[in-house]
Amino acid sequence: MRLFDGQRAWVIQRISALLLLVLIVLATLALPFAAPLDFSAWRDFAGGVLGGPLIALLFGALCAHAWVGMRDIVLDYVQPRGLRFFVLSLIAVVLLGVLVRVLLSLAAVALAA
Amino acid sequence: MDRHSRRLPMFLNLAQIRFPIGAIASIAHRVSGVLLFITLPVIALLLDASLRSEEVFALLRKLLSSPLCVVAATVPVWALVHHVLAGVRHLLMDVGVGSELARARASARVVLLAAPVVALLFLVWGLS
Amino acid sequence: MKLSIYRFDPESGKPPRMQAYEVRPEAGDKKLLDLLMRLRVQDDSLSFRRSCREGVCGSDAMNINGRNGLACLTALDGLKEPLVLRPLPGFPVIRDLIVDMTQFFAHYHSIKPWLINSEPLPERERLQSPAERERLDGLYECILCACCSAFCPSYWWNPDKFIGPSGLLQAYRFIADSRDTATAERLDFLDDVYRLYRCRTIMNCTEVCPKGLSPSHAIERIRLALLRRSS
């Protein structure tokens, strides 16, 4: 087993990039038509069947994309093994934390609705 | 590498190397990626807070539209625009679109110019 | 003409330094190498490699005013003064402008730069159609001067593990060859986070190739071949 993937990581990076691109374009196109956001509308969106999965997908793709990108940076610039392991762990903890935080927030809103 | 090579000097002073435009766009792609990575936890926390209560939501909205916040947000906005545009450039070059040197140089120039312009427009829009 | 040249003498025990030179080009001096040969008469301790003096042997690669190139193909006209000459970036310096290419050639050997064909030998040569032969254009011309790999940031950070633009161009030269039957093995070898995937299409390689080749394009083709194979 290899410690780091070659092609698979590269493919994950490209697919997540395409996904993020689609979401960004959709959001930009929808922006002019969106009503000024108030709290209840925002909660309804985030807890709804469309908004909840979309936001989860967005952060899932962001975290996957960020992992490959940050991993590549570490593989290039951080050569000492111990330090490399430490920095990679730190990045993984931050990204997992982000993902868990967002999913918990979305779940709380969905359950309250 | 043999033992004798290890003691040899090496020229690798980045300030004395003349980088082509593609290399500038590339390192900016990395820098913007790191900036976005740093921004990500902030966004996640903002998302969480904004969903908690009416009061927090109103407070955040006021805070985020303050001039100081708009100015501070210019940096992540530049990072996002540069990263997305440079990313599209790379995705296209992956499948052979614009990967020829003259075109790659031109697209690098466009990306490097467009991102600060959009960030500036954001600043003007946010402060007006 | 004013020059500033990187000097290093391993026997002196002193760190490298820049030395100023002044030399007057004579009629007929067209290329940087002409000037360097004149300088060597002035100072016979100045060391650099050169052989064919016409861009075929790939010996006189160096960093010229911050960009890698061959001294013999670099026109004197239009060079900014003082002309700053340094050894190839990221390569161990043996003396002055001479670098240790051991690792560079080890990467070249690792991609098995020869035709592999397990089919029985034909009576005469293995034939290629003109179209098949054309696919090697832009690949076979590489002279292994190392201008590209020594200008590639990914190669600077991982010179021991990343094959580098030159080696990858050579790898694709054999993948693209209709007479080679080891494409699958070659692709297996390249599918690695270090060997191939350290490249992030900066295109510094294509920028400086003195033969006008495009290693970045060859790398793009290798990645697509890997993608096609696994889908």
Side-chain angles (χ1 to χ4, degrees), chain B residues 1-2 5 8-12 14 16-20 22-23 26 29-30 90 93-94 96 99 101 104-105, chain C residues 8 16 63 65-67 86-87 89-93 100 103 151 156 200-204 206-207 220 223-224:
Chain B
M1 205 181 297
D2 58 320
S5 282
L8 295 177
M10 183 184 278
F11 162 56
L12 194 56
L14 300 187
Q16 286 160 344
I17 287 169
R18 222 165 72 231
F19 284 99
S26 183
H29 194 190
R30 277 214 154 154
H90 275 309
M93 295 206 306
D94 281 342
S99 61
L101 185 59
R105 278 182 185 154
Chain C
F8 170 67
N63 191 271
N65 278 349
R67 272 177 89 113
R86 294 174 202 272
F91 280 52
V93 179
D100 184 351
Q103 193 156 56
F151 210 52
W156 294 338
R200 60 186 316 275
T201 326
I202 299 167
M203 285 184 75
N204 271 14
T206 303
E207 285 274 355
E220 167 195 315
R223 282 191 300 232
L224 286 179

Side-chain angles (χ1 to χ4, degrees), chain C residues 56-138:
Chain C
V56 174
C57 72
S59 305
D60 60 352
M62 56 187 72
N63 191 271
I64 306 158
N65 278 349
R67 272 177 89 113
N68 295 351
L70 297 180
C72 58
L73 292 186
T74 303
L76 283 174
D77 274 353
L79 280 180
K80 235 177 85 187
E81 283 183 71
L83 190 52
V84 182
L85 301 182
R86 294 174 202 272
L88 288 177
F91 280 52
V93 179
I94 296 172
R95 178 188 292 271
D96 298 345
L97 299 174
I98 297 176
V99 293
D100 184 351
M101 311 266 284
T102 311
Q103 193 156 56
F104 174 81
F105 282 114
H107 283 305
Y108 174 57
H109 291 140
S110 79
I111 61 103
K112 300 190 175 167
W114 57 83
L115 275 182
I116 300 174
N117 192 325
S118 45
E119 286 154 20
L121 276 171
E123 205 131 307
R124 290 199 186 164
E125 67 267 43
R126 296 189 198 277
L127 294 174
Q128 274 190 312
S129 71
E132 286 169 339
R133 167 60 190 77
E134 220 164 81
R135 259 181 258 147
L136 305 181
D137 285 349

Side-chain angles (χ1 to χ4, degrees), chain C residues 1-5 7 19-24 29 32-46 48 83 85 97:
Chain C
M1 215 173 172
K2 285 188 168 57
L3 292 97
S4 173
I5 302 181
R7 301 299 310 269
Q19 186 174 340
Y21 285 97
E22 191 155 5
V23 63
R24 189 200 297 268
D29 289 355
L32 174 57
L33 184 61
D34 299 329
L35 205 66
L36 282 174
M37 296 308 286
R38 227 168 264 296
L39 258 186
R40 179 122 81 183
V41 178
Q42 228 178 75
D43 176 359
D44 63 4
S45 74
L46 179 65
F48 53 90
L83 190 52
L85 301 182
L97 299 174

Side-chain angles (χ1 to χ4, degrees), chain A residues 17-90:
Chain A
L18 281 171
L19 203 64
L20 289 169
L21 195 62
V22 170
L23 290 173
I24 287 171
V25 169
L26 281 180
T28 312
L29 289 178
L31 211 58
F33 303 102
L37 204 59
D38 65 27
F39 178 67
S40 61
W42 170 229
R43 249 185 97 97
D44 286 347
F45 175 75
V49 283
L50 182 69
L54 270 181
I55 295 174
L57 188 69
L58 172 72
F59 278 87
L62 275 174
C63 287
H65 191 79
W67 168 250
V68 178
M70 293 302 288
R71 185 206 71 158
D72 275 341
I73 290 177
V74 170
L75 292 185
D76 279 355
Y77 304 137
V78 186
Q79 297 291 344
R81 274 172 167 262
L83 185 63
R84 182 183 268 192
F85 179 77
F86 173 74
V87 178
L88 282 175
S89 312
L90 204 69

